[in-house]
C-alpha cells in the first residue's frame, strides 16, 4: 500500500442510542392492541429492561412489517433474564397489562420513583385515558 491510496475503513459504527430509538419506534409502530401498546410504551419509557439483550431475544420477533413485541415469549423466563429485583417487579407489572401472570397491584410498592410513574401512565393508557397527568406533587 502506498501513501497515496485511500485508507479503507471497516463498516460504519452503529450508534447504540440511535439503534435503540429505532427499535422502540418500530415496536410501537407494529403494536395494535391497546394493552400491548401500553406495555410496549412502558418498556420504552423505562428503558433498562428493554435494553437487556436476553429480554430482546425473548420479546422481539420479526414480522412482515418489521420487529414486534410478543410478550408471550417472556412468560416463564422472567427469572432467567438477568434482571435485578426492581427490573423484575416492573416487568411483572408490564406483563400483567397484557394479561400474562398473576401479579398483584400491591407489587407497585417494590418500584422506585422512576418506574412507578411509568406504570401509572401505563395503567392510564390501558384504560384509554390520556387526560390524567402523573407527576410529582408540589
Amino acid at each position: 500500500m502506498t501513501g497515496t491510496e485511500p485508507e479503507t475503513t471497516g463498516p460504519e459504527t452503529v450508534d447504540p442510542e440511535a439503534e435503540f430509538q429505532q427499535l422502540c419506534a418500530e415496536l410501537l409502530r407494529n403494536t395494535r392492541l391497546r394493552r400491548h401498546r401500553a406495555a410496549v410504551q412502558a418498556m420504552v419509557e423505562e428503558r433498562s429492561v428493554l435494553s437487556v439483550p436476553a429480554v430482546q431475544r425473548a420479546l422481539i420477533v420479526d414480522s412482515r412489517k418489521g420487529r414486534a413485541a410478543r410478550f408471550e415469549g417472556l412468560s416463564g423466563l422472567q427469572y432467567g433474564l438477568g434482571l435485578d429485583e426492581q427490573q423484575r417487579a416492573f416487568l411483572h407489572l408490564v406483563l400483567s397489562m397484557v394479561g400474562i401472570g398473576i401479579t398483584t397491584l400491591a407489587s407497585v410498592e417494590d418500584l422506585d420513583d422512576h418506574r412507578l410513574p411509568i406504570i401509572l401512565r401505563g395503567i392510564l393508557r390501558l384504560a384509554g385515558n390520556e387526560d390524567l397527568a402523573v407527576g410529582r406533587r408540589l
Side-chain angles (χ1 to χ4, degrees):
M1 175 180 218
T2 65
T4 58
E5 291 179 23
E7 218 177 286
T8 57
T9 59
E12 288 189 31
T13 58
V14 179
D15 177 19
E17 178 61 26
E19 189 174 306
F20 184 78
Q21 293 303 322
Q22 180 182 1
L23 170 65
C24 293
E26 203 171 335
L27 292 176
L28 287 166
R29 185 177 58 247
N30 293 323
T31 302
R32 298 290 173 240
L33 295 174
R34 183 187 322 183
R35 60 189 175 149
H36 287 207
R37 188 166 183 77
V40 168
Q41 184 65 45
M43 297 277 285
V44 166
E45 286 181 38
E46 192 274 343
R47 186 182 181 108
S48 77
V49 174
L50 188 55
S51 294
V52 174
V55 171
Q56 289 183 11
R57 283 190 300 276
L59 174 69
I60 299 168
V61 296
D62 289 323
S63 71
R64 284 178 289 156
K65 296 180 180 182
R67 295 176 288 184
R70 188 172 159 265
F71 286 95
E72 296 80 11
L74 288 173
S75 180
L77 297 177
Q78 297 136 28
Y79 291 93
L81 297 171
L83 302 176
D84 63 30
E85 285 196 38
Q86 283 276 321
Q87 291 171 317
R88 200 168 28 256
F90 177 82
L91 180 59
H92 289 166
L93 285 162
V94 168
L95 289 174
S96 71
M97 286 184 199
V98 296
I100 295 174
I102 30 179
T103 302
T104 64
L105 196 52
S107 64
V108 297
E109 69 186 1
D110 297 328
L111 299 179
D112 59 16
D113 289 346
H114 170 68
R115 291 178 177 99
L116 180 59
I118 294 169
I119 289 295
L120 294 174
R121 285 190 294 274
I123 291 170
L124 290 172
R125 282 187 199 98
L126 193 59
N129 186 330
E130 297 287 336
D131 297 334
L132 295 176
V134 175
R136 291 200 175 276
R137 272 189 246 168
L138 299 176

